Amino acid sequence: MNPPKTDARRHHDPQVRGFASDNYAGAHPEVLAALALANGGHQVAYGEDEYTENLQQIVRSHFGAGAEAFPVFNGTGANVVALQAVTDRWGAVICAESAHINVDEGGAPERMGGLKLLTVPTPDGKLTPELIDKQAWGFEDEHRAMPQVVSITQSTELGTLYTPAEIRAICEHAHAHGMKVHLDGSRIANAAASLDVPMRTFTSAVGVDILSLGGTKNGAVFGEAVVVINQDAVRQMKHLRKLSMQLASKMRFVSVQLEALLAKDLWLRNARHANEMAQRLAEGVRAVHGVEILYPVQANGVFARLPHDVSESLQQRFRFYFWDEAAGVVRWMCSFDTTEEDVDSFVAAVKEEMAR
């Protein structure tokens, strides 16, 4: 059967590669095939379809029998909905100063979710019980937003990882204070691949109450999910999702992408490959005099410091972002489709620019 004709045209050069973001990558071919498989015929809208129902069983296989998935459009939506579900109107969220919810979501938790973020500076993007205590106070002070949730990111915005024991300690500490724990898992697959453990090992097994499950950065076209692990911790998730404009009418096309990633091992294959490419990149640039890698390379990101003019010259050849331009810090991200040739070409370009 011949593919259907279309009037759409390709407007980009598929040979152009970069290290700006794992969001720059396209969709994995297996995910695209799943979307085509789910097309055709009629399915009940707003999550009452067979694909969303089947996704529940898959999510439970990863996070436990009590887990429930609520597919949403994007990561910001997942975080805002999840945090609303575990806070009161007067509640606040403790997070790292570098957390995505604080730095990269345009104020959505505050403006759309009505949440107060209580931030803590960290040396490596990771919270600890001691750091949490810098904001975990004044629970009965009506003049202060009440700390009700600790939000952590795995892997962190700086590419570092929490061990399962570290997350267990955070959960026990938060729960002892009457707080709940949210995990931003936009790159949860990269963390599991690097730690070489199932996702449940550092989520449901250690006390995480609710998480944002990433799909887009791991090969989906669009779509993430809020996964409720502790049903007693949340209220009216389906109403919150609708209220937050995250209820997809044709939800089967979100759910089938997550199914394609999670049903077998595609999520893990993609994440392992991205991590391996980051390691290859780090090893290549580490040998270049004048390039300083700032954090342990534990997932699919490399953070480095090099001369500002060198970074600007490199950006004419490869797309990537400054993380802290004033300090000369850049971020290089690898994706499921990053190749060894991509990495080696970039390392060669770094060497050339540094030698000028």
Side-chain angles (χ1 to χ4, degrees), residues 266-288:
L266 180 58
W267 67 278
L268 190 56
R269 283 188 279 130
N270 285 352
R272 278 178 176 162
H273 178 78
N275 291 357
E276 288 168 2
M277 293 302 98
Q279 288 294 334
R280 186 182 185 93
L281 174 56
E283 290 168 9
V285 300
R286 191 176 277 119
V288 181

Side-chain angles (χ1 to χ4, degrees), residues 13 18 38 58 61 113 136 144 150 171 180 182 192 200 215-216 237 239 242 259 295 306 324 328 336 348:
D13 180 357
I58 295 169
S61 74
R144 187 172 194 262
V150 174
C171 291
K180 301 177 179 69
H182 163 256
R200 72 172 67 86
T216 309
M237 263 296 303
H239 292 284
K242 176 65 173 181
E259 177 184 354
Y295 307 108
L306 60 164
D324 182 345
F336 76 88

